[in-house]
Amino acid sequence: MLIKRAQMFKASEITDPTLYFNRREFMVGAAALALFPRGAEAAAPPAGQPLKATRNTAFSLSDPATKFESATTYNNFYEFGVDKGDPSRLAHTLKPRPWTVQVDGHVAKPKTYDIDELLKLFPLEERVYALRCVEGWSMVIPWIGFPLASLLKRVEPTGQAKFVEFTTLMDPEQFPAQRKSVLNLSPIEWPYVEGLRLDEAMHPLALLTVGMYGQVLPNQNGAPIRVVLPWKYGFKSAKSIVRIRLVSSQPKSTWEKAAPNEYGFFSNVNPEVDHPRWSQASERRIGEFLRRKTLKFNGYADQIASLYAGMDLRKYY
Ligand code: MTE
């Protein structure tokens, strides 16, 4: 992303991933949920609560998964700061319950869903996807979620719906970098906004994600719900979303606003189109030593390329 302007926070402890698997914590959390089922007192499900899902083999890579520890301590989540370690160090301030997702705009049945209600609506799938960051690294992660299309179909987009806009929670109490004092140091405007064309959003690969590695999504990875779009650069996959709006014109995404010549609306992974400041021809898979060649559409060309047939991908980067 943009060159780091400042180290906003001092590095200190990093959450021990073994904690995520602590069964005792899970039992305590489950008891708390039973005592305070809903409303302001509702307890957040402890990070690491197991989450059952059926592996979708048709949509899963066979590449070995990146280590859980790397996937949860090397993150981009600018609401916590610009350093890769900031999200895991500071994400305890994010409260993934209570949480709602407003789905509205050009739809016949707009609705604000409570996250737990949403989780009951669709069967959860596990999909092993590689996430390729625009900065030149990638990770392979077993995500858990359900197709974005399932939710969109439920609210019945009208003929005027041409694009989908995602908005991340705006709350400086929970996201320290959204506070005014540090806002000036941030290269981006809050809240974080991303967008897709409706046909991209309806593609079966687009996943609304609530978990990873067999458990509830850790805060630093975008709890309680985020998008994962494996054929696009990672920044298109907005985290901790509170609103999904169906709109008639192309939304302005956060990174497009920050640097339009560097981050286009489409941002499909494309080794043939360099970022103005670096090549996109290769990537470093976190945990591997040698760089590997980046694949067009991040390896999903067979499924995805037809969405962009006839488009000049140098112009629509
Ligand atoms: N979503 C929000 N709200 N804020 C962010 O800063 N960073 C993006 C994306 N989603 C970001 C975000 C970028 S640049 C990447 S590469 C991925 O999240 C990283 O996801 P991960 O930390 O789960 O690997």
Side-chain angles (χ1 to χ4, degrees), residues 161-164 196-198 245-251 265:
K162 305 285 181 227
F163 295 88
V164 183
L196 293 173
R197 233 171 39 193
L198 184 60
R245 192 160 69 108
L246 285 281
V247 292
S248 54
S249 46
Q250 190 171 302
F265 177 78

Side-chain angles (χ1 to χ4, degrees), residues 75-79 133 168 192 221 226 234-235 237 239:
N75 301 102
N76 274 335
F77 202 164
Y78 276 60
E79 285 84 341
C133 184
T168 294
Y192 196 96
N221 293 91
R226 67 174 296 175
F235 70 89
S237 297
K239 294 176 166 180

Side-chain angles (χ1 to χ4, degrees), residues 74-188:
Y74 189 84
N75 301 102
N76 274 335
F77 202 164
Y78 276 60
E79 285 84 341
F80 291 111
V82 294
D83 268 16
K84 298 284 181 275
D86 289 335
S88 57
R89 193 167 56 80
L90 298 165
H92 56 89
T93 58
L94 172 62
K95 294 183 182 61
R97 293 292 188 285
W99 194 279
T100 56
V101 181
Q102 182 181 351
V103 191
D104 65 344
H106 293 302
V107 295
K109 295 182 172 166
K111 187 171 160 75
T112 298
Y113 293 89
D114 178 85
I115 184 73
D116 294 309
E117 179 192 352
L118 200 52
L119 275 163
K120 284 186 207 127
L121 287 179
F122 312 105
L124 293 182
E125 293 176 23
E126 181 179 64
R127 299 179 180 191
V128 183
Y129 282 163
L131 191 86
R132 165 65 156 82
C133 184
V134 73
E135 295 163 328
W137 49 266
S138 61
M139 295 195 198
V140 177
I141 297 181
W143 302 103
I144 295 174
F146 55 87
L148 172 60
S150 306
L151 177 60
L152 296 179
K153 281 180 200 152
R154 204 176 168 92
V155 295
E156 297 177 12
T158 68
Q160 281 168 289
K162 305 285 181 227
F163 295 88
V164 183
E165 180 190 76
F166 305 92
T167 307
T168 294
L169 174 73
M170 175 74 194
D171 183 357
E173 293 290 313
Q174 300 189 51
F175 288 137
Q178 287 180 342
R179 288 178 203 149
K180 279 213 165 57
S181 53
V182 280
L183 191 65
N184 301 337
L185 297 173
S186 165
I188 61 180

